[in-house]
């Protein structure tokens, strides 16, 4: 009777949106890979079929299993990431995969769910108070451990995804200055690439003066404002060195093109330029399924993976693109709504992690495709080609669907 009640309480809105996105994703993969004759859509169809038993396995496991063994799952995930340095397969300069015959498996796609479980497990402890510095360090360590293993692969796209956990931690009590520090750091970095460092320092000084005089604390803020100004100035003065000596050439090129400092439509900027052309050519209603000239001509590289949304824009137009965005938005809002209804802190935190991970993938991918974010390897959930990505997102989502269904048995 207990199992029956759980089955009856599956959130079918999430399930239906998931199915719709997967089907639409496959149709676009089929269209974008039709001219290449590489069997890409056939492989993706196999991946999709294999998600069916995967979903049944995830849903058949008792909901408490994920909480009880979260730390072990996280440990196994870290070992799988570390193992890449010894047993990993290098593709396009990245050692991110395990080779299994003609297929590859990317453990970083599964590490996101494992990290979400570990973070939810840690934060669900009644003794945890994120106002405590030691607790903050421990929570951030959970997030940073997989990042430290992913960055050297190198896979900055996957590492970037983990930044969303800061928002989850903020939701659970992390002081807001962490979020503000991250936002200001990014803003200063970008401004320094656009303007001369002395101008950015002057802007920072003016902002701090305004904030100081607006503050109710008055003179007690002078020391804090002075320390902040010194730190911000030091960071601004270090940006150019970091940009020229730490960033790789292709990263610098992507930033320069994004900021309009250089134009290379035949080189590093080719992908973005072609994706903008493809999306723009779709108009309001698109050219029709399998009728996209940019798509059929293979003008957009990696169109079936990171640039899959260009096919949507060209063949389905603005209306079709809006429908896809609407489905994603509906899924995010539904997960957040369900997270707030959970009876346990573990389930609630995990739900927010799921919404955050899916959202940042969606946001960065779309922003990259339309040219307002540097080109970086971040797939569109349930749309982009790849078994690891599809399975990773499926596991991530359906663990939460199982938790939500199991809340009828929670007290």
């Amino acid at each position: 009777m207990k199992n029956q009640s759980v089955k009856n309480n599956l959130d079918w809105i999430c399930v239906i949106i998931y199915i719709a996105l997967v089907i639409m994703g496959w149709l676009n993969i089929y269209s974008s890979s039709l001219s290449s004759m590489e069997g890409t859509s056939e492989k993706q169809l196999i991946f999709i079929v294999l998600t069916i038993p995967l979903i049944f396995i995830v849903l058949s496991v008792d909901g408490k299993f994920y909480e009880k063994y979260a730390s072990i799952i996280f440990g196994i995930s870290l070992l799988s990431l570390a193992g890449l340095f010894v047993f990993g397969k290098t593709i396009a300069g990245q050692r991110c995969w395990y080779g299994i015959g003609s297929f590859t498996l990317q453990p970083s796609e599964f590490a996101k769910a494992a990290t979400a479980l570990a973070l939810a497990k840690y934060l669900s402890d009644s003794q945890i108070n994120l106002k405590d510095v030691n607790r903050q360090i421990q929570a951030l360590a959970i997030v940073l451990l997989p990042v430290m293993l992913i960055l050297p692969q190198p896979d900055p796209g996957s590492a970037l995804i983990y930044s969303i956990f800061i928002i989850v931690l903020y939701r659970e009590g992390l002081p807001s200055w962490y979020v503000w520090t991250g936002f200001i750091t990014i803003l200063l970095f970008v401004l320094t690439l656009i303007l001369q460092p002395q101008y950015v320092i002057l802007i920072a000084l003016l902002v701090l003066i305004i904030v100081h005089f607006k503050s109710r604390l008055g003179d007690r803020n002078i020391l804090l404002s002075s320390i902040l100004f010194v730190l911000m100035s030091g960071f601004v003065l270090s940006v150019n060195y970091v940009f020229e000596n730490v960033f790789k050439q292709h990263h610098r090129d992507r930033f320069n093109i994004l900021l309009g400092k250089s134009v290379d439509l035949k080189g590093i900027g080719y992908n973005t330029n072609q994706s903008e052309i493809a999306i723009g050519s779709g108009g309001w209603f698109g050219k029709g399924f399998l009728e996209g000239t940019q798509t059929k001509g293979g003008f957009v590289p990696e169109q079936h993976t990171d640039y899959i949304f260009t096919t949507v824009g060209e063949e389905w137009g603005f209306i079709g693109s809006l429908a896809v965005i609407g489905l994603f938005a509906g899924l995010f809002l539904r997960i957040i709504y369900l997270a707030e209804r959970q009876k346990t802190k573990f389930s609630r935190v995990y739900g927010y992690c799921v919404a955050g991970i899916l959202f940042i993938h969606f946001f960065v991918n779309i922003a990259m495709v339309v040219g307002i974010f540097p080109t970086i390897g971040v797939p569109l959930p349930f749309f982009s080609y790849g078994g690891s990505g599809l399975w990773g997102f499926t596991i991530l989502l359906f663990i939460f669907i199982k938790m939500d269904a199991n809340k009828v048995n929670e007290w």
Side-chain angles (χ1 to χ4, degrees):
M1 187 70 179
K2 179 178 177 180
N3 290 335
Q4 182 64 33
S5 63
V6 170
K7 292 177 182 178
N8 291 340
N9 282 279
L10 286 178
D11 188 74
W12 289 103
I13 294 178
C14 282
V15 174
I16 291 171
I17 294 177
Y18 164 82
I19 293 172
L21 289 173
V22 170
I23 292 174
M24 293 166 73
W26 182 82
L27 289 173
N28 282 276
I29 290 172
Y30 176 79
S31 178
S32 64
S33 61
L34 192 62
S35 61
S36 63
M37 302 299 289
E38 295 176 352
T40 302
S41 60
E42 289 82 357
K43 288 181 181 179
Q44 187 69 8
L45 188 58
I46 294 173
F47 298 148
I48 292 172
V49 171
L50 290 176
T51 60
I52 297 174
L54 183 63
I55 290 170
F56 278 104
I57 291 172
V58 171
L59 293 179
S60 65
V61 174
D62 184 76
K64 287 295 182 182
F65 172 88
Y66 301 110
E67 181 175 4
K68 184 177 181 180
Y69 296 102
S71 298
I72 296 176
I73 294 171
F74 183 58
I76 293 172
S77 176
L78 293 178
L79 288 175
S80 70
L81 291 172
L84 288 171
F85 296 106
V86 179
F87 305 106
K89 181 177 182 180
T90 302
I91 301 176
Q94 291 181 309
R95 201 176 184 86
C96 304
W97 297 269
Y98 287 110
I100 305 174
S102 60
F103 291 93
T104 56
L105 199 66
Q106 188 174 2
S108 62
E109 295 295 345
F110 304 96
K112 297 162 191 172
T115 305
L117 287 171
L119 193 61
K121 174 68 174 178
Y122 179 75
L123 295 177
S124 63
D125 188 326
S126 59
Q127 304 300 316
I128 298 299
N129 182 359
L130 287 179
K131 302 300 181 184
D132 186 306
V133 175
N134 290 329
R135 297 301 189 183
Q136 294 170 15
I137 294 173
Q138 291 167 5
L140 291 172
I142 293 173
V143 176
L144 290 175
L145 278 172
V147 172
M148 292 169 63
L149 293 171
I150 291 170
L151 273 176
Q153 294 177 4
D155 188 5
S158 293
L160 172 67
I161 299 304
Y162 287 79
S163 63
I164 197 65
F165 286 114
I166 295 296
I167 304 300
V168 177
L169 290 171
Y170 171 68
R171 164 65 178 79
E172 296 302 320
L174 189 72
S176 60
W177 69 264
Y178 279 94
V179 178
W180 280 108
T181 299
F183 173 76
I184 292 171
T185 300
I186 295 172
L187 182 61
L188 289 175
F189 182 85
V190 174
L191 282 176
T192 306
L193 294 180
I194 299 173
L195 306 173
Q196 292 296 321
Q198 59 267 30
Y199 296 133
V200 179
I201 292 174
L202 179 60
I203 292 171
L205 178 60
L206 291 174
V207 171
L208 285 173
I209 290 174
I210 293 171
V211 172
H212 172 74
F213 283 106
K214 289 285 186 180
S215 173
R216 295 180 180 179
L217 297 179
D219 293 339
R220 286 179 289 176
N221 253 357
I222 292 177
L223 179 60
L224 177 59
S225 298
S226 300
I227 294 173
L228 285 175
F229 177 68
V230 171
L231 292 174
M232 292 167 73
S233 299
F235 175 76
V236 168
L237 293 173
S238 69
V239 166
N240 285 328
Y241 176 83
V242 172
F243 188 70
E244 295 297 335
N245 296 278
V246 177
F247 279 48
K248 293 186 177 181
Q249 184 60 48
H250 64 278
H251 292 144
R252 295 197 295 271
D253 291 338
R254 288 168 181 172
F255 268 101
N256 286 332
I257 289 172
L258 177 67
L259 299 173
K261 298 175 70 173
S262 65
V263 178
D264 184 12
L265 300 183
K266 294 184 178 180
I268 197 72
Y270 179 80
N271 285 27
T272 302
N273 182 57
Q274 291 298 322
S275 70
E276 291 174 355
I277 292 173
I279 292 173
S281 68
W284 282 96
F285 301 102
K287 298 176 180 177
F289 182 55
L290 303 180
E291 297 299 324
T293 53
Q294 296 289 117
T295 297
K296 290 175 69 176
F299 290 103
V300 184
E302 306 299 329
Q303 191 168 12
H304 59 293
T305 54
D306 298 341
Y307 282 83
I308 189 65
F309 194 74
T310 61
T311 305
V312 178
E314 183 178 28
E315 298 191 347
W316 300 13
F318 177 79
I319 300 300
S321 300
L322 197 61
V324 172
I325 292 172
L327 281 174
F328 274 109
L331 181 61
F332 305 148
L333 293 174
R334 183 64 181 176
I335 293 172
I336 292 172
Y337 170 75
L338 294 176
E340 285 295 335
R341 294 176 58 208
Q342 298 306 300
K343 296 180 180 179
T344 67
K345 189 175 182 181
F346 175 80
S347 299
R348 186 186 75 227
V349 174
Y350 181 78
Y352 269 97
C353 288
V354 173
I357 292 169
L358 293 176
F359 172 76
I360 194 170
H361 266 276
F362 164 81
F363 176 79
V364 172
N365 181 274
I366 300 297
M368 176 187 72
V369 167
V370 298
I372 60 175
F373 198 86
T375 299
I376 191 168
V378 174
L380 186 61
F382 315 121
F383 256 72
S384 294
Y385 170 80
S388 297
L390 177 62
W391 297 335
F393 290 126
T394 298
I395 291 172
L396 177 76
L397 175 61
F398 276 87
I399 286 177
F400 178 65
I401 290 176
K402 172 65 177 186
M403 289 179 184
D404 178 67
N406 194 59
K407 70 178 182 291
V408 296
N409 300 312
E410 301 286 355
W411 297 90

